[in-house]
Amino acid sequence: MTQVCIAAYVYGVVQGVGFRYNTQHHATALGLSGYARNLDDGSVEVVACGEQPQVDKLVEWLKNGGPRSARVDRVLVEPRGTADYQGFSIRY
């Protein structure tokens, strides 16, 4: 299968609630690479690369609210050029 990459911007109560850690755990379980990082506007950027079905599962999880401690108001997803990330990391 072909590798795809997306960038998802997650808005709501998503900082200070373990969102990046839970996203890293979920993405790693799906076999994805990329990263999650907090943005200055209070949102979280998630870049995920992998097989299309697994990327879709992560996006669905994000849109369904992510971890229970978070409150997701909206998720904007856009395609990204493929990149060679080593695992799924949390960026600061």
Side-chain angles (χ1 to χ4, degrees):
M1 292 189 113
T2 308
Q3 178 134 341
V4 298
C5 291
I6 58 96
Y9 299 93
V10 187
Y11 298 90
V13 180
V14 292
Q15 290 189 11
V17 294
F19 194 89
R20 291 174 300 161
Y21 171 80
N22 281 284
T23 300
Q24 179 188 40
H25 179 75
H26 201 74
T28 300
L30 290 169
L32 301 176
S33 62
Y35 64 86
R37 69 175 175 157
N38 288 344
L39 298 178
D40 291 340
D41 65 359
S43 65
V44 172
E45 176 188 39
V46 177
V47 173
C49 300
E51 301 297 328
Q52 186 73 59
Q54 276 61 39
V55 171
D56 290 345
K57 286 179 186 176
L58 181 66
V59 170
E60 181 180 341
W61 179 78
L62 293 171
K63 288 182 176 182
N64 286 333
R68 287 184 290 175
S69 56
R71 188 193 81 232
V72 173
D73 294 334
R74 73 175 193 256
V75 179
L76 303 176
V77 180
E78 61 186 33
R80 276 274 173 99
T82 57
D84 189 24
Y85 297 104
Q86 300 299 317
F88 197 95
S89 64
I90 295 173
R91 292 195 178 172
Y92 298 95

